[in-house]
Amino acid sequence: VWEGAVRLLSQTPWFGIGLRSQHADAISAAPRAVDWYELLSDTCIGVGGARRALLERVRRDHPVALHGVSLSIAGSDPFETPYLKGLRELSDWLDPAFVSDHLCWTSLGGHASHDLLPVAYTEEVLDHVAARVAAVQERLGRRLLLENASAYVTFRGNAIGEAEFFAALCQRSGCGMLLDVNNLFVNAANLGIDPGAYLAALPSEAVGYL
């Protein structure tokens, strides 16, 4: 699976890790030990004080990527305006290489599940998600990447494979994909997905990073 994923990347690979505040001193002591850092968007929106100073220092020395868990791009609830406003301000400030979230839904009727819930892969849902992706990208003024989430169950009414859904969504909306190789491995075990066929169905230009 890993070798197939790597073949999707035509450029020289960079290697990054998730930023954790407790590692701030080590990062300062060796500012180029890794190529870039992934920040959890939800914990960075509106920050000040020492946390903001840390982000400024990291961004000065490294490219960063913003990765969120609260967008609910496949949901039916309206987007939370303060969240999108905060994400736009954070993105404008840090100018990340990527802004990403998950292809999932997290809330219904205003009730947050705090979980990344699986998507039904149908033409109707594809139309719905593509329209919401376009709206978010317009609000952010930049391309959005969506991660393939792990799942324990799938929908009986699925009409499209997950990889084909991602490929069509990227083509239609101009978004990209954050390819989680571990999640693909998990879903291969849980749902019987063929990881080789999955990777072959993805256009390489759609994958922002993995």
Side-chain angles (χ1 to χ4, degrees):
V1 175
W2 172 251
E3 291 177 354
V6 169
R7 283 196 294 271
L8 286 170
L9 299 180
S10 59
Q11 61 193 30
T12 301
W14 283 13
F15 297 92
I17 61 173
L19 178 70
R20 300 296 182 265
S21 298
Q22 60 266 37
H23 301 152
D25 292 341
I27 292 169
S28 298
R32 295 300 302 183
V34 298
D35 296 314
W36 57 275
Y37 288 94
E38 184 184 79
L39 315 179
L40 181 59
S41 308
D42 306 66
T43 63
C44 297
I45 292 174
V47 296
R51 177 71 172 171
R52 186 176 182 91
L54 169 62
L55 296 182
E56 287 178 339
R57 188 165 68 249
V58 170
R59 181 63 186 92
R60 181 193 64 212
D61 296 330
H62 305 84
V64 298
L66 291 176
H67 184 51
V69 295
S70 302
L71 194 56
S72 193
I73 196 70
S76 56
D77 286 351
F79 291 118
E80 295 185 8
T81 300
Y83 181 80
L84 283 182
K85 181 176 183 291
L87 186 57
R88 172 63 187 259
E89 291 172 351
L90 181 66
S91 300
D92 288 347
W93 169 43
L94 292 176
D95 191 25
F98 304 106
V99 176
S100 65
D101 206 287
H102 299 78
L103 179 61
C104 70
W105 55 286
T106 61
S107 65
L108 181 65
H111 174 74
S113 70
H114 303 292
D115 202 356
L116 308 177
L117 300 171
V119 173
Y121 298 118
T122 67
E123 290 290 345
E124 182 181 7
V125 173
L126 177 60
D127 291 341
H128 172 72
V129 176
R132 283 170 67 91
V133 167
V136 169
Q137 291 183 145
E138 183 176 359
R139 289 289 298 275
L140 297 181
R142 61 183 69 233
R143 187 190 193 200
L144 178 69
L145 303 185
L146 293 172
E147 178 182 338
N148 54 306
S150 60
Y152 301 98
V153 295
T154 189
F155 286 91
R156 187 179 294 111
N158 281 354
I160 310 169
E162 182 182 296
E164 289 75 16
F165 188 98
F166 262 107
L169 179 61
C170 292
Q171 180 180 27
R172 187 177 303 186
S173 68
C175 74
M177 182 180 188
L178 193 176
L179 176 58
D180 190 314
V181 178
N182 182 73
N183 287 351
L184 173 55
F185 181 83
V186 168
N187 289 354
N190 288 345
L191 309 177
I193 292 173
D194 178 348
Y198 187 107
L199 294 172
L202 296 176
S204 59
E205 64 273 12
V207 180
Y209 69 105
L210 56 83

Coordinates of all heavy atoms in Angstrom, one line a residue, residues 114-210:
H114 N -19.1 14.8 17.6 CA -17.6 14.8 18.0 C -17.0 13.5 17.4 O -16.1 12.9 18.0 CB -17.4 14.9 19.5 CG -18.0 16.1 20.1 ND1 -17.5 17.4 19.8 CD2 -19.1 16.3 20.9 CE1 -18.2 18.3 20.4 NE2 -19.2 17.7 21.1
D115 N -17.5 13.0 16.3 CA -17.0 11.9 15.6 C -17.0 12.2 14.1 O -17.7 13.0 13.6 CB -17.8 10.6 15.9 CG -17.0 9.3 15.7 OD1 -15.9 9.4 15.2 OD2 -17.6 8.3 16.0
L116 N -16.1 11.5 13.4 CA -16.0 11.6 11.9 C -16.9 10.5 11.3 O -16.4 9.4 11.1 CB -14.6 11.5 11.5 CG -13.6 12.5 12.2 CD1 -12.1 12.2 11.7 CD2 -14.0 13.9 12.0
L117 N -18.1 10.9 10.9 CA -19.1 9.9 10.5 C -19.0 9.6 9.0 O -18.7 10.5 8.2 CB -20.5 10.3 10.9 CG -20.7 10.6 12.4 CD1 -22.0 11.2 12.7 CD2 -20.5 9.2 13.1
P118 N -19.2 8.3 8.6 CA -19.0 7.9 7.2 C -20.0 8.6 6.2 O -21.1 8.9 6.6 CB -19.1 6.4 7.2 CG -19.9 6.1 8.4 CD -19.6 7.2 9.4
V119 N -19.6 8.7 5.0 CA -20.4 9.3 3.9 C -21.0 8.2 3.0 O -20.4 7.2 2.7 CB -19.5 10.3 3.1 CG1 -20.2 10.8 1.9 CG2 -18.9 11.4 4.0
A120 N -22.2 8.5 2.6 CA -22.8 7.6 1.6 C -22.3 8.1 0.2 O -22.4 9.2 -0.2 CB -24.4 7.8 1.6
Y121 N -21.8 7.1 -0.6 CA -21.1 7.5 -1.8 C -22.2 7.3 -3.0 O -22.2 6.3 -3.6 CB -19.9 6.6 -2.1 CG -18.8 6.9 -1.0 CD1 -18.4 5.8 -0.2 CD2 -18.3 8.1 -0.8 CE1 -17.5 6.1 0.8 CE2 -17.4 8.4 0.2 CZ -17.0 7.4 1.0 OH -16.0 7.6 2.0
T122 N -22.9 8.4 -3.2 CA -24.0 8.4 -4.2 C -23.8 9.7 -5.0 O -23.1 10.6 -4.6 CB -25.4 8.4 -3.6 OG1 -25.6 9.6 -2.9 CG2 -25.6 7.2 -2.7
E123 N -24.4 9.7 -6.2 CA -24.4 10.9 -7.0 C -25.0 12.1 -6.3 O -24.5 13.3 -6.4 CB -25.1 10.7 -8.3 CG -24.4 9.7 -9.3 CD -23.1 10.3 -9.8 OE1 -22.9 11.5 -9.7 OE2 -22.3 9.5 -10.4
E124 N -26.1 11.9 -5.5 CA -26.7 13.0 -4.8 C -25.8 13.6 -3.7 O -25.7 14.8 -3.6 CB -28.0 12.4 -4.1 CG -28.8 13.5 -3.4 CD -30.0 13.0 -2.7 OE1 -30.2 11.7 -2.7 OE2 -30.8 13.8 -2.2
V125 N -25.1 12.7 -3.0 CA -24.2 13.2 -2.0 C -23.0 13.9 -2.7 O -22.5 14.9 -2.2 CB -23.7 12.0 -1.1 CG1 -22.6 12.5 -0.1 CG2 -24.9 11.5 -0.3
L126 N -22.5 13.4 -3.8 CA -21.4 14.0 -4.5 C -21.8 15.4 -4.9 O -21.0 16.4 -4.7 CB -21.1 13.2 -5.8 CG -20.0 13.7 -6.7 CD1 -18.7 13.9 -6.0 CD2 -19.8 12.8 -7.9
D127 N -23.0 15.6 -5.4 CA -23.5 17.0 -5.8 C -23.5 17.9 -4.6 O -23.1 19.0 -4.6 CB -24.9 16.9 -6.4 CG -24.9 16.3 -7.8 OD1 -23.9 16.2 -8.4 OD2 -26.0 15.8 -8.2
H128 N -24.0 17.3 -3.5 CA -24.1 18.1 -2.2 C -22.7 18.5 -1.7 O -22.5 19.7 -1.3 CB -24.8 17.2 -1.2 CG -24.9 17.8 0.2 ND1 -25.7 18.9 0.5 CD2 -24.3 17.4 1.3 CE1 -25.5 19.1 1.8 NE2 -24.6 18.3 2.3
V129 N -21.8 17.5 -1.6 CA -20.5 17.8 -1.1 C -19.7 18.8 -2.0 O -19.0 19.7 -1.5 CB -19.7 16.5 -0.8 CG1 -18.3 16.9 -0.4 CG2 -20.4 15.7 0.2
A130 N -19.8 18.6 -3.3 CA -19.1 19.5 -4.2 C -19.6 20.9 -4.1 O -18.7 21.8 -4.1 CB -19.4 19.0 -5.7
A131 N -20.9 21.1 -3.9 CA -21.4 22.5 -3.7 C -20.8 23.1 -2.4 O -20.5 24.3 -2.3 CB -22.9 22.5 -3.7
R132 N -20.8 22.3 -1.3 CA -20.3 22.8 -0.1 C -18.8 23.0 -0.1 O -18.3 24.0 0.5 CB -20.6 21.8 1.1 CG -22.1 21.9 1.5 CD -22.6 20.8 2.4 NE -22.0 20.8 3.7 CZ -22.5 21.4 4.8 NH1 -23.6 22.2 4.6 NH2 -21.9 21.3 6.0
V133 N -18.0 22.2 -0.8 CA -16.6 22.4 -1.0 C -16.4 23.7 -1.7 O -15.5 24.5 -1.3 CB -16.0 21.3 -1.8 CG1 -14.5 21.6 -2.2 CG2 -15.9 20.0 -0.9
A134 N -17.1 24.0 -2.8 CA -17.0 25.2 -3.5 C -17.3 26.4 -2.6 O -16.5 27.4 -2.7 CB -17.9 25.2 -4.7
A135 N -18.3 26.3 -1.8 CA -18.6 27.5 -0.9 C -17.5 27.7 0.1 O -17.1 28.9 0.4 CB -19.9 27.2 -0.2
V136 N -16.9 26.6 0.7 CA -15.8 26.8 1.6 C -14.6 27.4 0.9 O -13.9 28.2 1.5 CB -15.5 25.4 2.3 CG1 -14.2 25.5 3.1 CG2 -16.6 25.0 3.2
Q137 N -14.2 26.9 -0.2 CA -13.0 27.4 -0.9 C -13.2 28.8 -1.3 O -12.2 29.6 -1.2 CB -12.8 26.5 -2.2 CG -12.3 25.1 -1.9 CD -12.0 24.3 -3.1 OE1 -11.1 23.5 -3.0 NE2 -12.7 24.4 -4.2
E138 N -14.4 29.2 -1.6 CA -14.6 30.7 -1.9 C -14.5 31.5 -0.6 O -13.9 32.6 -0.7 CB -16.0 30.9 -2.5 CG -16.3 32.3 -2.9 CD -17.7 32.5 -3.5 OE1 -18.4 31.5 -3.7 OE2 -18.0 33.6 -3.8
R139 N -15.0 31.0 0.5 CA -14.8 31.7 1.8 C -13.3 31.8 2.2 O -12.9 32.8 2.7 CB -15.6 31.0 2.9 CG -17.1 31.1 2.7 CD -17.6 32.5 3.0 NE -17.3 32.9 4.4 CZ -18.1 32.7 5.4 NH1 -19.2 32.0 5.3 NH2 -17.8 33.1 6.6
L140 N -12.6 30.7 2.0 CA -11.2 30.7 2.4 C -10.3 31.4 1.4 O -9.1 31.7 1.8 CB -10.7 29.2 2.7 CG -11.5 28.5 3.8 CD1 -10.9 27.1 3.9 CD2 -11.4 29.2 5.1
G141 N -10.7 31.4 0.2 CA -9.8 32.0 -0.8 C -8.6 31.1 -1.2 O -7.6 31.5 -1.6
R142 N -8.8 29.8 -1.0 CA -7.7 28.8 -1.2 C -8.3 27.4 -1.4 O -9.5 27.2 -1.0 CB -6.7 28.8 -0.2 CG -7.1 28.4 1.2 CD -6.0 28.5 2.2 NE -5.6 29.9 2.5 CZ -4.4 30.4 2.4 NH1 -3.4 29.5 2.1 NH2 -4.1 31.6 2.6
R143 N -7.5 26.5 -1.9 CA -7.9 25.1 -2.1 C -8.0 24.4 -0.8 O -7.2 24.6 0.1 CB -6.9 24.4 -3.0 CG -7.2 23.0 -3.5 CD -6.0 22.4 -4.1 NE -6.4 21.2 -4.9 CZ -5.5 20.3 -5.2 NH1 -4.2 20.4 -4.9 NH2 -5.8 19.2 -5.9
L144 N -9.0 23.5 -0.7 CA -9.2 22.6 0.4 C -8.8 21.2 0.1 O -9.1 20.7 -1.0 CB -10.7 22.7 0.8 CG -11.2 21.8 2.0 CD1 -10.6 22.4 3.3 CD2 -12.7 21.8 2.0
L145 N -8.2 20.5 1.0 CA -7.9 19.1 0.9 C -8.9 18.4 1.8 O -9.1 18.9 2.9 CB -6.5 18.8 1.3 CG -5.3 19.4 0.5 CD1 -4.0 18.8 1.0 CD2 -5.5 19.3 -1.0
L146 N -9.3 17.2 1.4 CA -10.2 16.4 2.3 C -9.5 15.0 2.5 O -9.0 14.4 1.6 CB -11.5 16.2 1.6 CG -12.4 17.5 1.6 CD1 -13.6 17.2 0.8 CD2 -12.7 18.0 3.0
E147 N -9.5 14.6 3.8 CA -8.9 13.3 4.1 C -9.9 12.2 4.1 O -11.0 12.3 4.4 CB -8.3 13.4 5.5 CG -7.7 12.1 6.0 CD -7.2 12.2 7.5 OE1 -6.9 13.4 7.9 OE2 -7.0 11.2 8.1
N148 N -9.4 11.0 3.6 CA -10.2 9.8 3.7 C -10.2 9.3 5.1 O -9.2 9.1 5.7 CB -9.6 8.7 2.7 CG -8.2 8.4 3.0 OD1 -7.3 9.4 3.0 ND2 -7.8 7.2 3.2
A149 N -11.4 9.2 5.7 CA -11.6 8.8 7.1 C -11.7 7.3 7.2 O -12.1 6.6 6.3 CB -12.8 9.5 7.7
S150 N -11.3 6.8 8.4 CA -11.5 5.4 8.7 C -13.0 5.1 8.9 O -13.7 6.0 9.4 CB -10.7 4.9 9.9 OG -11.0 5.7 11.0
A151 N -13.5 3.9 8.7 CA -14.9 3.6 8.9 C -15.0 2.2 9.3 O -14.2 1.3 9.0 CB -15.7 3.8 7.6
Y152 N -16.1 1.9 10.1 CA -16.3 0.6 10.6 C -17.5 -0.1 9.9 O -17.7 -1.3 9.9 CB -16.6 0.6 12.1 CG -15.4 1.1 12.8 CD1 -15.4 2.5 13.2 CD2 -14.3 0.4 13.1 CE1 -14.3 3.0 13.9 CE2 -13.2 0.9 13.8 CZ -13.2 2.2 14.2 OH -12.1 2.8 14.8
V153 N -18.3 0.8 9.3 CA -19.5 0.3 8.5 C -19.6 1.1 7.2 O -19.0 2.2 7.1 CB -20.8 0.4 9.3 CG1 -20.8 -0.5 10.5 CG2 -21.1 1.9 9.7
T154 N -20.4 0.7 6.3 CA -20.6 1.4 5.1 C -22.1 1.4 4.8 O -22.9 0.7 5.4 CB -19.8 0.8 3.9 OG1 -19.9 1.7 2.8 CG2 -20.4 -0.6 3.5
F155 N -22.5 2.2 3.8 CA -23.9 2.4 3.5 C -24.3 1.3 2.4 O -23.6 1.2 1.4 CB -24.3 3.8 3.0 CG -24.3 4.8 4.1 CD1 -23.1 5.5 4.4 CD2 -25.4 5.1 4.8 CE1 -23.1 6.5 5.4 CE2 -25.4 6.0 5.8 CZ -24.3 6.7 6.1
R156 N -25.5 0.7 2.7 CA -26.0 -0.3 1.7 C -26.2 0.4 0.3 O -26.1 -0.3 -0.7 CB -27.2 -0.9 2.3 CG -27.7 -2.1 1.4 CD -29.0 -2.7 2.0 NE -28.7 -3.4 3.3 CZ -29.1 -3.0 4.5 NH1 -29.9 -1.9 4.5 NH2 -28.9 -3.6 5.6
G157 N -26.6 1.6 0.4 CA -27.0 2.3 -0.9 C -25.9 2.9 -1.6 O -26.1 3.7 -2.6
N158 N -24.6 2.7 -1.3 CA -23.5 3.2 -2.0 C -23.5 2.8 -3.5 O -23.8 1.6 -3.8 CB -22.2 2.7 -1.4 CG -21.7 3.4 -0.2 OD1 -22.4 4.4 0.2 ND2 -20.7 3.0 0.5
A159 N -23.3 3.8 -4.3 CA -23.4 3.6 -5.8 C -22.0 3.8 -6.4 O -21.8 3.5 -7.6 CB -24.4 4.4 -6.4
I160 N -21.1 4.4 -5.7 CA -19.8 4.8 -6.2 C -18.8 4.3 -5.2 O -19.0 4.3 -4.0 CB -19.7 6.3 -6.4 CG1 -20.9 6.9 -7.1 CG2 -18.4 6.7 -7.1 CD1 -20.9 8.4 -7.1
G161 N -17.6 3.9 -5.7 CA -16.5 3.5 -4.8 C -15.9 4.8 -4.1 O -16.0 5.9 -4.7
E162 N -15.3 4.6 -3.0 CA -14.8 5.8 -2.3 C -13.7 6.5 -3.1 O -13.7 7.7 -3.2 CB -14.2 5.4 -0.9 CG -13.6 6.5 -0.1 CD -13.0 6.1 1.2 OE1 -13.7 5.6 2.0 OE2 -11.8 6.3 1.3
A163 N -12.8 5.8 -3.7 CA -11.8 6.4 -4.5 C -12.4 7.1 -5.7 O -12.0 8.3 -6.1 CB -10.8 5.4 -5.0
E164 N -13.4 6.5 -6.4 CA -14.0 7.2 -7.5 C -14.8 8.4 -7.1 O -14.8 9.4 -7.8 CB -15.0 6.2 -8.2 CG -14.3 5.0 -9.0 CD -13.7 4.0 -8.0 OE1 -14.1 3.9 -6.9 OE2 -12.9 3.2 -8.5
F165 N -15.3 8.4 -5.9 CA -16.0 9.5 -5.3 C -15.0 10.7 -5.1 O -15.3 11.8 -5.5 CB -16.7 9.1 -4.0 CG -17.6 10.2 -3.4 CD1 -18.9 10.1 -3.6 CD2 -17.0 11.3 -2.7 CE1 -19.8 11.1 -3.0 CE2 -17.9 12.2 -2.1 CZ -19.2 12.2 -2.3
F166 N -13.9 10.4 -4.5 CA -12.9 11.4 -4.3 C -12.4 11.9 -5.7 O -12.2 13.2 -5.8 CB -11.7 10.8 -3.6 CG -11.7 11.1 -2.1 CD1 -12.0 10.1 -1.2 CD2 -11.4 12.3 -1.6 CE1 -12.0 10.3 0.2 CE2 -11.4 12.6 -0.3 CZ -11.7 11.6 0.6
A167 N -12.1 11.1 -6.6 CA -11.6 11.6 -7.9 C -12.6 12.5 -8.6 O -12.3 13.5 -9.1 CB -11.3 10.4 -8.8
A168 N -13.9 12.1 -8.5 CA -15.0 13.0 -9.1 C -15.1 14.3 -8.4 O -15.3 15.3 -9.0 CB -16.3 12.2 -9.2
L169 N -15.0 14.2 -7.1 CA -15.2 15.4 -6.2 C -14.0 16.4 -6.5 O -14.2 17.6 -6.7 CB -15.2 15.0 -4.8 CG -15.3 16.2 -3.7 CD1 -16.6 17.0 -3.9 CD2 -15.1 15.6 -2.3
C170 N -12.8 15.9 -6.6 CA -11.6 16.7 -6.9 C -11.8 17.4 -8.3 O -11.5 18.5 -8.5 CB -10.3 15.9 -6.8 SG -9.9 15.4 -5.1
Q171 N -12.2 16.6 -9.3 CA -12.3 17.1 -10.6 C -13.4 18.2 -10.7 O -13.3 19.2 -11.3 CB -12.6 16.0 -11.6 CG -12.8 16.4 -13.0 CD -13.1 15.3 -14.0 OE1 -13.7 14.3 -13.6 NE2 -12.7 15.4 -15.2
R172 N -14.5 17.9 -10.0 CA -15.7 18.8 -10.1 C -15.5 20.1 -9.3 O -15.9 21.2 -9.8 CB -16.9 18.1 -9.6 CG -18.2 18.9 -9.8 CD -19.4 18.1 -9.3 NE -19.6 16.8 -10.0 CZ -20.6 16.0 -9.9 NH1 -21.6 16.4 -9.1 NH2 -20.7 14.9 -10.5
S173 N -14.8 20.0 -8.1 CA -14.7 21.2 -7.3 C -13.4 21.9 -7.3 O -13.2 23.0 -6.8 CB -15.1 20.8 -5.8 OG -14.1 20.0 -5.3
G174 N -12.4 21.2 -7.8 CA -11.0 21.7 -7.7 C -10.3 21.5 -6.4 O -9.2 22.0 -6.1
C175 N -11.0 20.7 -5.4 CA -10.3 20.5 -4.2 C -9.3 19.4 -4.4 O -9.1 18.9 -5.5 CB -11.4 20.0 -3.1 SG -12.0 18.4 -3.3
G176 N -8.6 19.0 -3.3 CA -7.6 18.0 -3.3 C -7.9 17.0 -2.2 O -8.9 17.0 -1.5
M177 N -7.0 16.0 -2.1 CA -7.1 14.9 -1.1 C -5.9 14.9 -0.2 O -4.7 15.0 -0.7 CB -7.3 13.6 -1.9 CG -7.5 12.4 -1.0 SD -7.6 10.9 -1.9 CE -8.1 9.7 -0.6
L178 N -6.1 14.7 1.0 CA -5.1 14.3 2.0 C -5.2 12.8 2.2 O -6.2 12.3 2.7 CB -5.3 15.0 3.3 CG -4.2 15.0 4.4 CD1 -4.6 15.9 5.6 CD2 -3.8 13.6 4.8
L179 N -4.3 12.1 1.6 CA -4.4 10.6 1.6 C -3.8 10.0 2.9 O -2.6 10.1 3.1 CB -3.6 10.1 0.4 CG -3.6 8.6 0.3 CD1 -4.9 7.9 0.2 CD2 -2.7 8.2 -1.0
D180 N -4.7 9.5 3.7 CA -4.3 8.8 4.9 C -4.1 7.3 4.6 O -5.1 6.6 4.5 CB -5.4 9.0 6.0 CG -4.9 8.6 7.4 OD1 -4.3 7.4 7.5 OD2 -5.1 9.3 8.4
V181 N -2.9 6.9 4.5 CA -2.6 5.5 4.2 C -3.0 4.6 5.2 O -3.5 3.5 4.9 CB -1.0 5.4 3.9 CG1 -0.7 4.0 3.5 CG2 -0.6 6.3 2.7
N182 N -2.9 5.0 6.5 CA -3.3 4.1 7.6 C -4.8 3.9 7.5 O -5.3 2.8 7.7 CB -2.9 4.6 8.9 CG -3.4 3.7 10.1 OD1 -2.8 2.7 10.3 ND2 -4.4 4.1 10.8
N183 N -5.6 4.9 7.3 CA -7.0 4.8 7.2 C -7.4 3.9 6.0 O -8.4 3.2 6.1 CB -7.7 6.2 7.0 CG -7.7 7.0 8.3 OD1 -7.3 6.4 9.4 ND2 -8.1 8.2 8.3
L184 N -6.7 4.0 4.9 CA -7.0 3.1 3.8 C -6.7 1.7 4.2 O -7.5 0.8 3.8 CB -6.1 3.5 2.6 CG -6.1 2.6 1.4 CD1 -7.5 2.4 0.9 CD2 -5.2 3.1 0.3
F185 N -5.7 1.4 4.9 CA -5.4 0.1 5.3 C -6.5 -0.4 6.3 O -6.9 -1.6 6.2 CB -4.0 0.1 6.1 CG -3.6 -1.3 6.5 CD1 -3.0 -2.2 5.7 CD2 -3.8 -1.7 7.9 CE1 -2.6 -3.4 6.1 CE2 -3.4 -2.9 8.3 CZ -2.8 -3.8 7.4
V186 N -6.9 0.4 7.2 CA -8.0 0.1 8.1 C -9.3 -0.3 7.3 O -9.9 -1.3 7.6 CB -8.3 1.2 9.1 CG1 -9.6 0.9 9.9 CG2 -7.1 1.3 10.1
N187 N -9.6 0.6 6.4 CA -10.8 0.3 5.6 C -10.7 -0.9 4.7 O -11.7 -1.6 4.4 CB -11.2 1.6 4.8 CG -11.7 2.7 5.7 OD1 -11.8 2.5 6.9 ND2 -11.9 3.9 5.1
A188 N -9.5 -1.2 4.3 CA -9.3 -2.4 3.5 C -9.7 -3.6 4.4 O -10.3 -4.6 3.9 CB -7.9 -2.5 3.0
A189 N -9.3 -3.6 5.6 CA -9.6 -4.7 6.6 C -11.1 -4.7 7.0 O -11.7 -5.7 7.0 CB -8.7 -4.6 7.8
N190 N -11.6 -3.5 7.2 CA -13.0 -3.4 7.8 C -14.0 -3.6 6.7 O -15.1 -4.2 6.9 CB -13.2 -2.1 8.4 CG -12.5 -1.9 9.7 OD1 -12.1 -2.9 10.3 ND2 -12.4 -0.7 10.2
L191 N -13.8 -3.1 5.5 CA -14.8 -3.0 4.5 C -14.5 -3.8 3.2 O -15.3 -3.8 2.3 CB -15.0 -1.5 4.1 CG -15.3 -0.6 5.3 CD1 -15.4 0.9 4.7 CD2 -16.5 -1.0 6.0
G192 N -13.3 -4.4 3.1 CA -13.0 -5.2 2.0 C -12.5 -4.4 0.8 O -12.5 -4.9 -0.3
I193 N -12.1 -3.2 1.0 CA -11.6 -2.3 -0.1 C -10.3 -2.9 -0.6 O -9.4 -3.3 0.2 CB -11.4 -0.9 0.4 CG1 -12.8 -0.2 0.6 CG2 -10.6 -0.1 -0.6 CD1 -12.7 1.1 1.3
D194 N -10.1 -2.9 -1.9 CA -8.8 -3.3 -2.5 C -7.9 -2.1 -2.5 O -8.1 -1.1 -3.3 CB -9.0 -3.8 -3.9 CG -7.7 -4.2 -4.6 OD1 -6.6 -3.9 -4.1 OD2 -7.8 -4.8 -5.7
P195 N -6.9 -2.0 -1.7 CA -6.1 -0.7 -1.6 C -5.3 -0.4 -2.9 O -5.2 0.7 -3.3 CB -5.1 -1.0 -0.5 CG -5.1 -2.4 -0.3 CD -6.4 -2.9 -0.7
G196 N -4.9 -1.5 -3.6 CA -4.2 -1.2 -4.9 C -5.1 -0.6 -5.9 O -4.8 0.4 -6.6
A197 N -6.4 -1.1 -6.1 CA -7.3 -0.5 -7.0 C -7.7 0.9 -6.5 O -8.0 1.8 -7.4 CB -8.6 -1.4 -7.1
Y198 N -7.8 1.1 -5.2 CA -8.2 2.4 -4.7 C -7.1 3.4 -5.1 O -7.5 4.5 -5.6 CB -8.2 2.3 -3.2 CG -8.7 3.5 -2.4 CD1 -9.9 3.5 -1.8 CD2 -7.9 4.6 -2.3 CE1 -10.4 4.6 -1.1 CE2 -8.3 5.7 -1.5 CZ -9.6 5.7 -1.0 OH -10.0 6.8 -0.3
L199 N -5.8 3.1 -4.9 CA -4.8 4.1 -5.3 C -4.7 4.3 -6.8 O -4.5 5.4 -7.3 CB -3.4 3.5 -4.8 CG -3.3 3.5 -3.3 CD1 -2.0 2.8 -2.9 CD2 -3.3 4.9 -2.7
A200 N -5.0 3.2 -7.6 CA -5.0 3.4 -9.0 C -6.1 4.3 -9.5 O -5.9 4.9 -10.6 CB -5.1 2.0 -9.7
A201 N -7.2 4.4 -8.8 CA -8.3 5.2 -9.2 C -8.1 6.7 -8.9 O -8.9 7.5 -9.4 CB -9.6 4.7 -8.5
L202 N -7.1 7.0 -8.1 CA -6.9 8.4 -7.7 C -5.9 9.1 -8.7 O -4.8 8.6 -8.9 CB -6.2 8.5 -6.3 CG -7.1 8.0 -5.1 CD1 -6.2 8.0 -3.8 CD2 -8.4 8.8 -5.0
P203 N -6.3 10.3 -9.2 CA -5.4 11.0 -10.0 C -4.3 11.6 -9.2 O -4.6 12.2 -8.1 CB -6.3 12.1 -10.6 CG -7.4 12.2 -9.7 CD -7.6 10.9 -9.1
S204 N -3.0 11.4 -9.6 CA -1.9 11.8 -8.7 C -1.9 13.3 -8.4 O -1.6 13.7 -7.3 CB -0.6 11.5 -9.3 OG -0.4 12.1 -10.6
E205 N -2.4 14.1 -9.3 CA -2.5 15.6 -9.1 C -3.5 16.0 -8.0 O -3.4 17.1 -7.5 CB -2.8 16.3 -10.4 CG -4.1 16.1 -11.0 CD -4.2 14.9 -11.9 OE1 -3.2 14.1 -11.9 OE2 -5.2 14.7 -12.6
A206 N -4.4 15.1 -7.7 CA -5.4 15.4 -6.6 C -4.8 15.3 -5.2 O -5.4 15.8 -4.3 CB -6.6 14.5 -6.8
V207 N -3.7 14.5 -5.1 CA -3.2 14.2 -3.7 C -2.2 15.3 -3.3 O -1.2 15.5 -3.9 CB -2.5 12.9 -3.7 CG1 -1.9 12.6 -2.3 CG2 -3.4 11.7 -4.1
G208 N -2.6 16.1 -2.3 CA -1.8 17.2 -1.8 C -0.6 16.6 -1.0 O 0.5 17.0 -1.2
Y209 N -1.0 15.8 0.0 CA 0.1 15.1 0.8 C -0.5 13.9 1.4 O -1.7 13.6 1.3 CB 0.8 16.0 1.8 CG -0.1 16.5 3.0 CD1 0.1 15.9 4.3 CD2 -1.0 17.5 2.9 CE1 -0.6 16.3 5.4 CE2 -1.7 18.0 4.0 CZ -1.5 17.4 5.2 OH -2.2 17.8 6.3
L210 N 0.3 13.0 2.0 CA -0.2 11.8 2.6 C 0.5 11.5 3.9 O 1.5 12.1 4.2 CB 0.1 10.6 1.6 CG 1.5 10.3 1.1 CD1 2.2 9.5 2.2 CD2 1.4 9.6 -0.2

